Amino acid sequence: MLLEFSVTNFRSIKDKQTLRLLKTKKNELTNNFTTITLSTGKTLDVLNSAVIYGANASGKSNLVLALWSMLNIIRGSFGYQPNTGVKNIEPFLLAKESKNQPTEFELDLIDNGVRYVYGFSATEDKIIDEWLYQYPKGSPQNLIDRQSTSQWGTMSALKGKKKTWQENTKDNSLFLSTAVQFNSESLQVVFSAVQKLTGMFEAGDFDFTCYQANVSKESAQEILDLMQAFDVGIENFVVSKETAEESKIPDEMKEILVKKGEDLSKIKFFKVESQHVSDDGDVVPFNFKEQESEGTQKLFGLAGPWLRVLAKGYCLVVDELHNSLHPKLVAYLVSMFHNPEINKHGAQLIFVTHETSLLNQDTFRKDQVWFCEKENNATELFSLADFKVRKGVDNLESAYLSGRYGAVPYLK
């Protein structure tokens, strides 16, 4: 489970901003957090969801994009070619002291009862620092200690061919990514833990849901059950594959594939046919991407990742969850993470939205609600827990929209 995510000097984020999912002392809405037993025997209460509000251009999406960028660098940096730089690094440009400084990311998480803190800093050219600590017995143990790109600390807790892994770590690659490729068992555990963070910058993943439906009849039925719970009128759906020649992808994309030397007759794309029942009882097929509404298409794209994360106990990060969805549907999706009969493995949801009807004391604890606001051109992230809120008295939605907590647009 994710405890904290921190980012410094990324896009609109100048100073270090930290999103925390550790529960505060109050025990209200007990279904909204999961109690984790640590390897030390102690317990920790971790929130099952966090929602982020703020005006347009306040930096909400940049916070999600920061996590997405960190995960992409972890997954892909081993494959970077030498002297090609580090992808997805975008420093804060509105201050002279920031644009030439490294961007920094850090994750604090728990996996199988063990706490890990992993982070790195990087410029657009290379990795600067990288660190990893584990806490199996409560005290930190050093697994990675990298400084000034190629300077290495003792890394006493890491076992294996450290020298070989260090020698094969390029200036623009992460040691974590490299060592995993060279079969470091202890770092593979951490790498796998990080992969349980599932980022969706644009909410919905059509191909992933199609893939899940193809995995088994059980998965397909679960997706159908969820779609039918939303009352979108779909009786069933059929997933198939078609070649790039057969599909209706834009001609421009086909031209790009041909220029890359791809055989259009061998490239496969998912195709979905949804089925509706007419007034006289006949089954009527619809071309899903052409005849279903944007909202139905988005729900289908969400269904696969949503169900997988809940089944596996992963963390799902979604930007603009409310787009094309009715407020009641958004509320239903969020409630799944607060239902212990559905969320049996401590899955987490972090999402950005403008849907203020969710902002009430029956849905969220104060420590689950976060706000983004611009201060001197830079994003500031803060929690509703920083404010005095009267339990059962204050209307959070009205208070927020009236500007009591900030993070709303000021119209000139």
Side-chain angles (χ1 to χ4, degrees):
M1 295 187 77
L2 181 64
L3 304 182
E4 291 185 354
F5 169 63
S6 299
V7 57
T8 307
N9 194 27
F10 180 81
R11 292 173 69 94
S12 66
I13 299 168
K14 179 185 177 186
D15 300 322
K16 184 177 181 178
Q17 303 299 315
T18 300
L19 179 70
R20 297 180 178 86
L21 284 95
L22 281 167
K23 181 187 80 69
T24 54
K25 293 182 180 179
K26 291 188 177 181
N27 284 326
E28 58 188 10
L29 298 179
T30 55
N31 287 342
N32 289 25
F33 60 87
T34 299
T35 300
I36 300 297
T37 301
L38 301 174
S39 54
T40 60
K42 295 182 178 180
T43 59
L44 203 60
D45 294 329
V46 187
L47 299 172
N48 289 335
S49 70
V51 57
I52 305 168
Y53 289 96
N56 295 103
S58 61
K60 306 183 302 299
S61 295
N62 286 338
L63 188 68
V64 175
L65 183 58
L67 180 57
W68 178 83
S69 297
M70 182 185 191
L71 297 178
N72 269 4
I73 295 169
I74 293 171
R75 291 168 184 150
S77 68
F78 174 75
Y80 293 171
Q81 295 301 309
N83 304 315
T84 59
V86 182
K87 297 178 181 179
N88 307 122
I89 296 296
E90 300 180 60
F92 183 80
L93 298 177
L94 300 180
K96 292 180 180 179
E97 68 271 21
S98 299
K99 60 183 178 180
N100 295 319
Q101 294 298 311
T103 295
E104 182 175 303
F105 308 100
E106 185 176 80
L107 292 170
D108 189 342
L109 51 84
I110 294 173
D111 190 64
N112 291 323
V114 179
R115 180 186 168 207
Y116 300 96
V117 176
Y118 173 70
F120 61 88
S121 63
T123 64
E124 296 173 90
D125 298 320
K126 59 186 178 181
I127 305 296
I128 305 301
D129 299 321
E130 187 178 359
W131 58 95
L132 173 61
Y133 299 95
Q134 65 178 6
Y135 297 77
K137 298 179 180 179
S139 299
Q141 296 179 353
N142 195 331
L143 289 169
I144 300 176
D145 182 4
R146 179 185 186 183
Q147 302 171 27
S148 302
T149 305
S150 56
Q151 302 298 312
W152 305 95
T154 55
M155 295 157 56
S156 55
L158 181 62
K159 308 302 179 184
K161 301 177 181 180
K162 288 183 279 190
K163 189 70 174 176
T164 300
W165 302 336
Q166 290 167 357
E167 289 173 350
N168 283 278
T169 301
K170 301 184 287 289
D171 286 357
N172 61 337
S173 297
L174 293 171
F175 177 81
L176 174 64
S177 308
T178 303
V180 167
Q181 292 294 325
F182 283 87
N183 301 314
S184 169
E185 293 183 7
S186 55
L187 292 184
Q188 178 63 59
V189 172
V190 183
F191 187 87
S192 297
V194 171
Q195 300 315 303
K196 294 177 183 179
L197 303 173
T198 305
M200 297 168 62
F201 188 63
E202 293 183 359
D205 193 324
F206 179 83
D207 286 343
F208 185 84
T209 300
C210 290
Y211 171 79
Q212 287 292 100
N214 269 357
V215 168
S216 67
K217 291 183 179 179
E218 182 181 6
S219 296
Q221 186 61 49
E222 289 175 348
I223 292 168
L224 178 61
D225 289 344
L226 185 60
M227 293 295 291
Q228 290 181 337
F230 298 138
D231 192 28
V232 293
I234 291 178
E235 185 70 18
N236 205 345
F237 67 89
V238 178
V239 176
S240 58
K241 287 186 177 181
E242 59 185 6
T243 67
E245 290 178 333
E246 297 168 332
S247 70
K248 295 184 179 181
I249 62 172
D251 291 337
E252 294 82 358
M253 183 180 293
K254 291 181 181 179
E255 290 176 7
I256 292 172
L257 292 172
V258 170
K259 287 180 180 179
K260 288 183 176 181
E262 302 285 355
D263 185 344
L264 298 185
S265 65
K266 294 182 178 180
I267 300 174
K268 299 288 187 178
F269 289 89
F270 282 114
K271 177 183 179 181
V272 177
E273 175 189 279
S274 54
Q275 297 176 348
H276 296 254
V277 177
S278 68
D279 292 341
D280 53 11
D282 293 334
V283 175
V284 181
F286 280 29
N287 183 307
F288 193 86
K289 282 195 169 182
E290 292 184 0
Q291 294 175 284
E292 296 291 356
S293 69
E294 287 187 17
T296 299
Q297 292 185 43
K298 180 171 178 177
L299 286 172
F300 182 81
L302 284 170
W306 215 267
L307 293 170
R308 178 174 181 266
V309 164
L310 286 164
K312 297 288 188 179
Y314 292 174
C315 178
L316 182 64
V317 186
V318 184
D319 190 25
E320 305 290 359
L321 177 59
H322 59 279
N323 282 354
S324 302
L325 297 182
H326 191 279
K328 284 195 173 183
L329 298 187
V330 177
Y332 179 82
L333 287 167
V334 173
S335 73
M336 296 174 75
F337 285 81
H338 299 163
N339 185 337
E341 294 185 3
I342 297 175
N343 187 5
K344 299 177 181 180
H345 306 290
Q348 294 172 292
L349 170 67
I350 300 170
F351 69 103
V352 172
T353 187
H354 289 296
E355 182 47 68
T356 58
S357 65
L358 293 172
L359 196 50
N360 64 78
Q361 297 187 51
D362 294 325
T363 301
F364 292 113
R365 299 162 47 89
K366 291 196 300 179
D367 48 16
Q368 292 179 276
V369 180
W370 291 80
F371 302 110
C372 273
E373 187 172 68
K374 282 281 187 69
E375 184 71 28
N376 296 324
N377 291 323
T379 296
E380 299 284 341
L381 179 68
F382 53 96
S383 172
L384 180 61
D386 298 334
F387 296 85
K388 184 177 180 179
V389 176
R390 294 172 295 175
K391 180 64 178 176
V393 176
D394 288 339
N395 183 309
L396 298 185
E397 181 181 18
S398 296
Y400 168 60
L401 292 175
S402 68
R404 186 184 302 177
Y405 310 129
V408 291
Y410 292 94
L411 306 179
K412 297 180 181 179

